[in-house]
Amino acid sequence: MLSKKIVDRINLQINREMYSAYLYMAMSARQSEKGYNGIANWLMVQYHEEMFHAMKFYQYIIDQGGRPVLDKIDAPELKSDDVKETFKYVLEHEQFVTSSIRELLELALAEKDYATENLVRWYVDEQVEEEKNANDILQNLDLLGENKQALFMLNVELGKRTATIPLNFTAIDPAAAP
Ligand code: FEO
């Protein structure tokens, strides 16, 4: 059983994860437009990661007998379609998500809600990875420079990214239904 405060805060986090998905989808579209299909692929895999983050919270509320409340998702605001600026924004956005996850963890701890604490610690680790991924790409851009050849190489590299999370969020297994 979750408190109303925890359910509300997780619902807010679901909205932030969905917004993140929307943001990366918009970034992916911009890179596709420019012909950087590999970079677009990386960002679209990131879209799937964010949807998974949202659905993991969603399923947790359901499992705990709570009610997911889906709020409006803001339109993503892209500052630039420049590759380096895009990844700077990815990092900045992930830092924001990290602080949001920390806030949720602090609430779970304050409420002595150990089940939610366990769940949120998974996201704490995930955020280390999310920030590292963006940082690695920015570091590569610094090492390679930002000429056309370097961007082409990065495009090929990022085109290799595949999703490591399940893409089917259907929680109910019909075979297991009574
Ligand atoms: Fe769901 Fe990229 O944090």
Side-chain angles (χ1 to χ4, degrees), residues 17 20 24 46 49-50 53 93-94 97 123 127 130:
E17 301 293 345
S20 303
Y24 296 134
Q46 194 59 33
E49 292 267 342
E50 300 304 345
H53 296 167
H93 183 69
E94 289 305 327
V97 176
Y123 287 86
Q127 281 311 119
E130 298 270 283

Side-chain angles (χ1 to χ4, degrees), residues 6 9-10 60 101-120:
I6 290 278
R9 186 58 184 75
I10 295 177
Y60 177 71
I101 290 290
R102 284 172 62 109
E103 237 178 62
L104 178 50
L105 179 60
E106 277 157 23
L107 179 64
L109 289 170
E111 295 221 345
K112 296 189 168 40
D113 179 343
Y114 302 119
T116 301
E117 178 198 342
N118 278 347
L119 174 80
V120 178

Side-chain angles (χ1 to χ4, degrees), residues 61-79:
I61 295 182
I62 299 268
D63 290 347
Q64 289 273 33
R67 176 185 289 179
V69 177
L70 304 180
D71 207 345
K72 175 186 77 150
I73 302 167
D74 290 336
E77 279 181 36
L78 298 187
K79 297 169 182 171

